[in-house]
Amino acid sequence: MKLVVGLGNPGERYAETRHNVGFQVVEQLAVRAGINLKKKGHQSFYGTGQLAGQEVTLLLPQTF
């Protein structure tokens, strides 16, 4: 299993800023792999699935 963490700042204030490039990359990976990032836990949103033949967890931390 691989873990991919998209670093960024939570909240609408930072949604489309350079501070959230990590969030944007993980969100695009999730779309391409069909992984839903709706699970809540570990102070983050996350989802699990297959990406490039590997089991992966994609994670978006919701803390600063």
Side-chain angles (χ1 to χ4, degrees), residues 34-47:
I35 298 172
N36 189 344
L37 298 174
K38 299 290 182 185
K39 294 181 182 176
K40 292 182 181 179
H42 310 289
Q43 296 181 334
S44 66
F45 293 111
Y46 69 96

Side-chain angles (χ1 to χ4, degrees), residues 4-53:
V4 180
V5 179
L7 298 181
N9 295 321
E12 290 300 316
R13 177 178 177 190
Y14 301 102
E16 298 297 323
T17 68
R18 63 185 172 92
H19 302 285
N20 279 9
V21 171
F23 276 13
Q24 294 167 4
V25 169
V26 167
E27 288 167 346
Q28 283 298 311
L29 287 173
V31 168
R32 292 180 185 192
I35 298 172
N36 189 344
L37 298 174
K38 299 290 182 185
K39 294 181 182 176
K40 292 182 181 179
H42 310 289
Q43 296 181 334
S44 66
F45 293 111
Y46 69 96
T48 58
Q50 293 285 319
L51 182 63

